[in-house]
Amino acid sequence: KAIEDARIAVAAPQLVGLLIDGKKSEAEQAAAAKALRTLGDRRAVEPLKNLLNSQRPATLKAEALRALAGLDAPAARAAAEK
């Protein structure tokens, strides 16, 4: 939440790392996706698309889709239509 509020762009690489770390909890990955959406860092687009194609829980995929929509609307639409 603090990253979202402060828009600390320097945190984006670490957030992408959290997003792709399959050992992190659903809550941690969802928080990373939400923060990346707020930051608007396009480096998260591919990891978000990969997460959407994974076997992760639907609630995490929903947050990933929202984040992707904020970063790349056409890619989010394509992912949602699958």
Side-chain angles (χ1 to χ4, degrees), residues 4 6-7 19 24 27 29 33 44 47 54 61 64-65 77 79:
E4 290 177 54
R7 294 183 182 250
L19 189 66
K24 296 299 180 189
Q29 287 182 304
S54 73
K61 287 183 175 186
L65 186 60
R77 181 176 180 172

Side-chain angles (χ1 to χ4, degrees), residues 18-22 24-33 51 56 60:
L18 284 172
L19 189 66
I20 63 174
D21 186 346
K24 296 299 180 189
S25 72
E26 178 184 342
E28 289 172 306
Q29 287 182 304
L51 196 149
R56 301 293 287 159
L60 176 55

Side-chain angles (χ1 to χ4, degrees), residues 9 18 25 30 34 39 46 56 61 63-64 68 72 78 82:
L18 284 172
S25 72
K34 188 174 181 183
L39 291 175
E46 286 304 314
R56 301 293 287 159
K61 287 183 175 186
E63 192 60 57
L68 186 57
D72 186 340
K82 285 185 179 179

Side-chain angles (χ1 to χ4, degrees), residues 1-11 15 35 38-39:
K1 180 81 173 122
I3 291 172
E4 290 177 54
D5 292 342
R7 294 183 182 250
I8 303 171
V10 72
L15 291 168
T38 300
L39 291 175

Side-chain angles (χ1 to χ4, degrees), residues 34-55:
K34 188 174 181 183
L36 285 161
R37 179 184 75 225
T38 300
L39 291 175
D41 194 304
R42 293 194 46 84
R43 288 176 285 189
V45 169
E46 286 304 314
L48 287 166
K49 289 197 282 189
N50 292 338
L51 196 149
L52 287 168
N53 291 319
S54 73
Q55 296 298 316

